[in-house]
Amino acid sequence: MSTICCIIGTRPEAIKMAPVILKLKECGLSCFVLATGQHTDLLTQALRTFNITPDRDLSIMRERQSLDYITSAVLTKAGEALDDVKPKVVLVHGDTTTTFASALASFYRKIPVGHVEAGLRSGNLYLPFPEEANRIMVDKLATFWFAPTEIAKNNLLKEGCDPSRIWVTGNTVVDALMMVKGLKGEPEFLKEKLPPHVPLLLVTVHRRESWGKPLESVCEALIEILKSFPRLWIIIPMHKNPLVREIWQRYLSDIPNVILCDALEYDDFVWIMNRSTLILTDSGGIQEEAATLKKPVLILRDVTERPEALSEGTALLAGRESSKIVELALRVLLDDDFRERLLSKSSSPFGEGRAAETIVDILMQYLNANEHCLGE
Ligand code: UD1
Ligand code: UDP
């Protein structure tokens, strides 16, 4: 039977590829899950929520790893694994270094690559860095483009991708969210720390361009926000990256009303997103989840590759300057009309939760029709 190899390396790839992996298995297709191990704990934690165990783990992660190292380690080791597994199709997700290096290893073997979440563009090669470049390079190498939205599809068309192999599927993160939403109640650790009914701000920051000064500005902004709104509580599930954790802890570990905790299981994190009054983040996936949950979100970046979150969703672009973040956060928290207007815009720009089903249907049809000529 033709094997489809799903290659994942980091937390968001695990969460967003999980619905596709589960659907491939449910449909009786042979699915090989290859983890590069670009992330260790964060990847395992995300997969645990969906009861997925990788068929092979390349375990490449190092403390404070460089982009050169991740790229070369994944290229070599994923290439060796592909030589063993000999899949008919490789699926990669998004824009990480795992995504790019795995797509390249597949291309070197003339194995067709399906890109899940294809076509996102910020228009600036350095924002986010290196993800914007990764997306463009993966889309150059791909055979099937699974675009989450019409805007993503149009980006691919403008770059000359073959329209007969682009599909607008919705984003698989909506599928993942729907699988876990409502499954669990309040996490035990939070019951002990968070008083009932208080307003809650959820904050995550992890991107390379946020390391150092921009993250320090976010910390300063949070301190200012608390001064103006002392009833507020803040929760920060910290990314494993030591460069990020050091700054959170230096600025915020002694501030009352701030809960610094480790990265959370996906189902607990979804519960907290749903409980929060406002979300501040530089994450890509959380912009999509906030729109789906209809939660206000300030994007802590200068540009976003997800313009639908601004035009149709619940997001505002706050940048990385402390004063702008404070101003916008307080407006959303304290100005009821402003918040209502933001929330009234919300449709579901990232799909209805059937992206995985659509992707698997397309792959099945394509494999049936082209069993003998793919990749030639
Ligand atoms: C990576 C992706 C980014 C994605 C993010 C999701 C690249 C270039 N970046 O960024 O697009 O948004 O994952 O979280 O691919 N670490 C651990 N344990 C873990 C994970 C990370 O200790 O489970 C630490 C290690 O010291 C590691 C560092 O975090 O060296 C950075 O990890 P890395 O994968 O290079 O970058 P991220 O910032 O996680
Ligand atoms: N997430 C999680 N636990 C956490 C923080 C985030 O499960 O403590 C989930 C979140 O819901 C989203 C994904 O991780 O689905 C986003 O990952 P991240 O912000 O690391 O990457 P990005 O989306 O920016 O690439």
Side-chain angles (χ1 to χ4, degrees), residues 30 107 129 145 228 260 341 351:
S30 163
F107 174 74
F129 177 86
W145 297 278
S228 303
L260 290 179
R341 273 203 307 281

Side-chain angles (χ1 to χ4, degrees), residues 9-13 37-44 61-67 70 95-99 128-131 134 206-208 211 239-245 282-285 301:
T10 68
R11 171 171 66 190
E13 293 163 80
Q38 177 177 340
H39 284 178
T40 51
D41 324 27
L42 290 182
L43 185 79
T44 321
M61 197 193 84
R62 286 184 184 165
E63 177 105 343
R64 299 170 200 240
Q65 55 203 357
S66 70
L67 296 174
I70 311 171
D95 52 25
T96 71
T97 299
T98 284
T99 317
F129 177 86
E131 289 83 0
N134 286 344
H206 74 281
R207 309 216 76 86
R208 273 165 203 262
W211 295 355
H239 196 279
K240 279 278 171 190
N241 192 335
L243 291 167
V244 171
R245 298 172 78 89
D282 69 351
S283 161
R301 302 191 192 179

Side-chain angles (χ1 to χ4, degrees), residues 198-265:
V198 290
L200 180 64
L201 186 63
L202 168 64
V203 188
T204 80
V205 177
H206 74 281
R207 309 216 76 86
R208 273 165 203 262
E209 60 273 19
S210 301
W211 295 355
K213 186 77 195 77
L215 179 52
E216 291 179 354
S217 295
V218 174
C219 292
E220 285 159 7
L222 297 180
I223 294 168
E224 283 306 308
I225 292 167
L226 277 175
K227 279 187 197 152
S228 303
F229 192 18
R231 237 170 32 85
L232 183 71
W233 278 69
I234 298 179
I235 181 161
I236 305 176
M238 292 184 293
H239 196 279
K240 279 278 171 190
N241 192 335
L243 291 167
V244 171
R245 298 172 78 89
E246 278 160 16
I247 297 181
W248 286 135
Q249 282 161 340
R250 176 151 47 86
Y251 275 80
L252 300 171
S253 56
D254 294 331
I255 309 268
N257 293 22
V258 175
I259 302 169
L260 290 179
C261 60
D262 283 329
L264 295 165
E265 300 273 337

